Amino acid sequence: MSTPFYVSPQQAMADRAEYARKGIARGRSVVVLQYTDGIVFVAENPSRALHKVSEIYDRIAFAAVGKYNEFENLRIGGVRYADLRGFTYHREDVTARGLANVYAQTLGTIFSSNAEKPYEVELIVAEVGPGPEDDQIYRLPHDGSIVDEHGSVAVGGNSDQIGNYLDQRHRDGMTLGEALKLAVESLSRDNNGGERSLTAEQLEVAVLDRTRPQQRKFKRILGSQLSRLLEEDAAATGSCADGDEASDDAPTDTSADASEDAPEAKEAPAKPAGKAKGAPKVDPDASADDEKK
């Protein structure tokens, strides 16, 4: 009788993790950033039917990379959990933290089970709050661990390079246009350090906007609205450059006006009041020299 082949638990887990990471790296990246009025999701996704970013509940959104059928099953399960909990208790009892815990348990159970392969997915669950300090962003890798993020986060593809780029440039208080521009710039960078152009047709963009009056804060930015935002960013950059050139010319114009007014200022005190005949004569050569100055 032959001896069965033995693999240590550590090696088995390492192999499963490597398998899942390779599957996730083949997917296009998703970027999530905080801005003044909420959270923006930007994904490189030319498909208009298969979404990487979706709404879960009133203030909660979901983004994922990896195998579509696997993270779509997780999204549907999250929607059912949120609806049931909101109906049983209260709508405010549905939180991104509770949803992230449910996803973590599901992914962790699948990853540690030898009966099936690990899910090749990486998830982001985000919730917008009344203020920027109340926003919540959770990243869930394939093994079911939970990472609490702030500011910006990237998953899938070359997420490490994109994440470093965002960490260096993202700041609190950014407008939607600035955050969108930064997200597109980060997604345009490839593994070799070069850049490529991404059009509105290649992007999937959605926001959790805290300023919306209705309970549902999720909104997709599509078509002409997305193109207009991208064009406004380019126009704003160009106008800033024109403003810098105008500011360089401003001192020259001011000095010219001052030099023209100088002779009049000097001539005024030279006329004594009530003595027109005894008034000193103005030297034309001297005034000409003043105008030249």
Side-chain angles (χ1 to χ4, degrees):
M1 184 175 178
S2 61
T3 304
F5 184 73
Y6 173 76
V7 178
S8 65
Q10 294 84 356
Q11 184 62 42
M13 287 298 180
D15 292 342
R16 293 171 68 85
E18 183 67 19
Y19 173 83
R21 281 194 294 266
K22 286 183 177 179
I24 296 169
R26 287 193 291 267
R28 295 185 178 94
S29 299
V30 176
V31 173
V32 179
L33 298 93
Q34 288 181 275
Y35 70 101
T36 303
D37 295 330
I39 303 172
V40 59
F41 302 76
V42 184
E44 184 182 354
N45 183 17
S47 175
R48 299 277 74 90
L50 307 179
H51 296 297
K52 291 185 175 182
V53 181
S54 300
E55 179 185 19
I56 295 293
Y57 210 61
D58 294 344
R59 308 177 310 275
I60 304 173
F62 167 97
V65 293
K67 278 202 168 184
Y68 177 79
N69 64 323
E70 293 178 349
F71 69 69
E72 180 66 10
N73 287 334
L74 293 172
R75 183 193 69 83
I76 294 173
V79 172
R80 290 173 178 169
Y81 160 82
D83 286 342
L84 180 60
R85 186 170 182 83
F87 178 78
T88 306
Y89 300 100
H90 193 273
R91 299 185 75 90
E92 294 183 357
D93 293 328
V94 183
T95 62
R97 183 179 304 171
L99 184 62
N101 288 330
V102 172
Y103 281 146
Q105 294 174 11
T106 302
L107 289 173
T109 302
I110 294 173
F111 180 76
S112 59
S113 174
N114 292 325
E116 56 181 324
K117 75 173 189 64
Y119 272 15
E120 302 170 55
V121 297
E122 191 166 6
L123 312 179
I124 295 177
V125 178
E127 178 182 357
V128 67
E133 64 279 1
D134 302 315
D135 294 342
Q136 300 178 31
I137 302 176
Y138 300 100
R139 178 172 62 87
L140 292 96
H142 55 276
D143 59 355
S145 57
I146 302 178
V147 182
D148 186 8
E149 302 284 357
H150 176 76
S152 63
V153 59
V155 294
N158 54 339
S159 59
D160 293 337
Q161 180 181 353
I162 294 175
N164 293 333
Y165 185 87
L166 293 175
D167 291 339
Q168 296 173 2
R169 290 163 176 80
H170 181 268
R171 57 180 174 79
D172 295 336
M174 298 181 74
T175 64
L176 175 59
E178 292 172 344
L180 180 59
K181 178 184 176 183
L182 177 59
V184 174
E185 287 178 353
S186 65
L187 292 174
S188 301
R189 303 177 65 85
D190 55 25
N191 293 327
N192 298 325
E195 294 186 0
R196 53 199 175 91
S197 60
L198 291 176
T199 62
E201 290 74 18
Q202 297 174 285
L203 297 173
E204 180 183 358
V205 181
V207 295
L208 286 171
D209 188 355
R210 78 177 94 255
T211 62
R212 298 190 78 192
Q214 57 265 46
Q215 282 186 320
R216 299 177 61 181
K217 307 300 182 182
F218 183 85
K219 179 179 69 173
R220 294 190 183 277
I221 301 178
L222 304 169
S224 59
Q225 184 181 6
L226 177 57
S227 300
R228 186 169 60 254
L229 277 173
L230 296 175
E231 290 173 0
E232 286 176 358
D233 294 337
T237 305
S239 63
C240 290
D242 295 341
D244 294 339
E245 294 177 359
S247 63
D248 294 338
D249 297 338
T252 305
D253 297 338
T254 305
S255 60
D257 296 339
S259 62
E260 293 177 358
D261 297 338
E264 298 180 1
K266 292 182 179 180
E267 291 175 2
K271 297 180 181 180
K275 295 182 179 181
K277 293 182 179 180
K281 296 182 180 179
V282 179
D283 188 357
D285 296 334
S287 62
D289 293 340
D290 292 337
E291 290 180 357
K292 290 180 181 179
K293 293 181 182 179

